[in-house]
Amino acid sequence: MNSASANISAPWLEQLTGAFEILLGRPLASFDADAVYATFFGGNLINELGFA
């Protein structure tokens, strides 16, 4: 958690945590909290998902 997430309500934080655990395939607690994580998004997601 960082300063940006300090104001998130408990129910919303629980939902976000569950969603990320599903997306990542394992509990968030299993990741190193002190590590730096990054992601990259490329392409045309809207087109690739078939939205017109």
Side-chain angles (χ1 to χ4, degrees):
M1 187 179 298
N2 60 37
S3 61
S5 60
N7 295 325
I8 297 175
S9 68
W12 182 235
L13 183 59
E14 289 175 19
Q15 290 178 12
L16 286 175
T17 298
F20 276 107
E21 289 176 342
I22 291 169
L23 179 69
L24 297 170
R26 64 182 190 178
L28 291 184
S30 69
F31 291 91
D32 182 0
D34 294 325
V36 175
Y37 296 96
T39 187
F40 173 79
F41 171 77
N44 186 344
L45 181 62
I46 301 298
N47 201 20
E48 291 172 13
L49 294 177
F51 289 106

